Amino acid sequence: MTVLLAGGAGYIGSHTAVELLNAGHEVVIADDYSNSCPEAVNRIEELTGKKVVSYEADVKDAEAVRKIFAENKIDCVIHFAGLKAVGESVQQPVRYYRNNIDTTLTLLECMKEAGVHRFVFSSSATVYGEENKIPYVETMKRGSCSNPYGWTKVMMEEILEDAAKADPELTVVLLRYFNPIGAHESGRIGEDPQGIPNNLMPYIAQVAVGRRDHLTIFGDDYPTPDGTCRRDYIHVMDLADGHVRAVNYAKDAKGVTVFNLGTGTPYSVLDIVHTFEDANGIKIAYEMGPRRAGDLPEFWADSNKATQVLSWEAKRNLQDMCRDTWNWQKQNPNGYRQGLGEDK
């Protein structure tokens, strides 16, 4: 199949592109490079030995998206093109609602015009909100989110479900990620946040490579074994494999299907720091800070449905995640922007 990756030059999109190409699919990437870099596309081609059709395009722009559908015979769309920083979403809610929801609506409208009926959505465990018990299971109702980013994921899931109810030809797979970390084992592609990282692992990696002088851990008084928050961390390559299986599943599926993609094992912030140190022989300077608004003490996935239906399971452990992150960061101390200076 030919798969359009909206936001395909980003962290998860680039790793998914590699796995799709290695599995024999064709890939078309649309990305405005607002939180990614064109060099990622070159690296995808380098790793796979295959050509990628790519467009510099804002997925909110219907004319640009129509052009992509007109020039390529797309069989399936994977939607990665979203703003994703929780704190920034609190400061810029209108921008988040506009971008994340408009990209989804534009893709749906242009898909319908082009006769494309398979949609895989990059969702998030954040849709379970604050009320549900752990581990999270797909049958749970969506909960109340603590930030606009989370609410955009809830709203987009609702939009996709409503669209599928109205159009029996539309197949939607909702992939609820937990906490993706790690990088391709080659070290050629990885997570490359612009500006100050919002997530734990890239921040640790930037401390390790000397771009940050220390890590601040937000809260050490949570009701967890060591007082720091616990999350379900999943290797990005396992996550990418989940997307390949979702695309294959969507070929014959009908309606809307939801899958959790996680390991089912929670690790604390301190677990991550110490495993990174052990795996790579590097000390990470850190200090404790106050709790951060909106952080839940802990959550993790029940991913049995993905195992049973997609024959998918996470294969890589926390040591692998930490080792592959450092392999990427030490080879690319300034990410894809080598020689351009920090954070440009």
Side-chain angles (χ1 to χ4, degrees):
M1 287 197 285
T2 299
V3 185
L4 171 62
L5 307 186
Y11 174 44
I12 300 169
S14 59
H15 290 78
T16 299
V18 168
E19 289 298 274
L20 284 166
L21 289 162
N22 287 339
H25 296 290
E26 301 293 321
V27 165
V28 177
I29 287 175
D31 204 301
D32 66 358
Y33 303 118
S34 60
N35 193 32
S36 59
C37 183
E39 176 60 21
V41 179
N42 297 332
R43 304 277 182 96
I44 291 165
E45 294 180 333
E46 171 197 314
L47 288 170
T48 61
K50 296 180 179 178
K51 180 66 180 170
V52 174
V53 177
S54 63
Y55 294 82
E56 183 170 355
D58 184 338
V59 183
K60 298 191 300 294
D61 181 347
E63 287 307 310
V65 176
R66 286 191 185 101
K67 180 174 186 286
I68 294 169
F69 280 108
E71 294 179 356
N72 304 274
K73 189 181 183 308
I74 304 297
D75 299 298
C76 180
V77 172
I78 306 181
H79 182 15
F80 298 108
L83 299 172
K84 61 180 185 178
V86 169
E88 185 180 68
S89 78
V90 175
Q91 298 163 351
Q92 303 175 32
V94 174
R95 177 174 170 240
Y96 268 67
Y97 287 120
R98 171 67 73 189
N99 182 86
N100 291 4
I101 293 172
D102 271 11
T103 53
T104 305
L105 294 172
T106 300
L107 283 169
L108 283 170
E109 290 167 349
C110 293
M111 284 173 63
K112 191 169 183 67
E113 291 173 10
V116 179
H117 307 297
R118 302 180 187 98
F119 195 112
V120 177
F121 178 54
S122 168
S123 193
S124 167
T126 192
V127 303
Y128 289 108
E130 301 175 353
E131 302 89 353
N132 283 307
K133 294 180 180 179
I134 44 182
Y136 294 153
V137 183
E138 293 91 343
T139 52
M140 292 174 171
K141 289 185 177 180
R142 288 183 286 257
S144 298
C145 297
S146 60
N147 56 79
Y149 161 75
W151 279 117
T152 67
K153 293 294 188 184
V154 169
M155 292 174 183
M156 288 185 285
E157 282 199 6
E158 187 67 47
I159 288 166
L160 289 164
E161 289 178 357
D162 289 344
K165 284 177 191 171
D167 181 359
E169 289 192 294
L170 180 63
T171 296
V172 174
V173 180
L174 304 176
L175 297 180
R176 292 177 180 166
Y177 310 163
F178 281 69
N179 290 67
I181 59 175
H184 191 273
E185 62 182 11
S186 67
R188 296 297 288 157
I189 57 173
E191 188 167 9
D192 183 24
Q194 296 188 25
I196 299 171
N198 292 290
N199 296 324
L200 174 64
M201 186 59 93
Y203 207 108
I204 290 173
Q206 290 191 10
V207 171
V209 84
R211 287 175 64 180
R212 312 283 167 197
D213 58 16
H214 73 280
L215 168 73
T216 299
I217 296 174
F218 298 108
D220 61 355
D221 59 348
Y222 286 97
T224 60
D226 63 19
T228 64
C229 291
R230 296 203 302 168
R231 297 289 182 264
D232 187 338
Y233 293 92
I234 177 174
H235 197 295
V236 68
M237 292 305 293
D238 285 330
L239 190 61
D241 177 51
H243 287 76
V244 176
R245 292 171 190 265
V247 166
N248 292 336
Y249 172 80
K251 193 184 323 186
D252 300 311
K254 295 294 181 187
V256 179
T257 313
V258 183
F259 295 105
N260 286 338
L261 296 180
T263 67
T265 302
Y267 292 100
S268 74
V269 176
L270 286 174
D271 287 335
I272 301 295
V273 171
H274 297 322
T275 304
F276 189 95
E277 291 177 329
D278 292 343
N280 301 308
I282 295 171
K283 292 298 291 182
I284 299 298
Y286 66 87
E287 64 181 31
M288 294 297 177
R291 290 188 183 193
R292 189 169 53 182
D295 278 345
L296 298 178
E298 57 186 357
F299 58 82
W300 61 90
D302 179 328
S303 296
N304 286 324
K305 183 178 179 183
T307 301
Q308 293 164 5
V309 178
L310 301 178
S311 299
W312 174 90
E313 61 181 352
K315 298 173 182 174
R316 297 160 179 86
N317 62 28
L318 189 58
Q319 288 267 345
D320 297 327
M321 301 179 210
C322 292
R323 186 173 53 250
D324 290 343
T325 297
W326 178 232
N327 187 35
W328 149 258
Q329 193 71 77
K330 71 183 178 184
Q331 288 188 47
N332 304 272
N334 287 318
Y336 293 114
R337 298 159 182 79
Q338 297 304 305
L340 297 181
E342 187 176 338
D343 298 335
K344 291 184 181 177

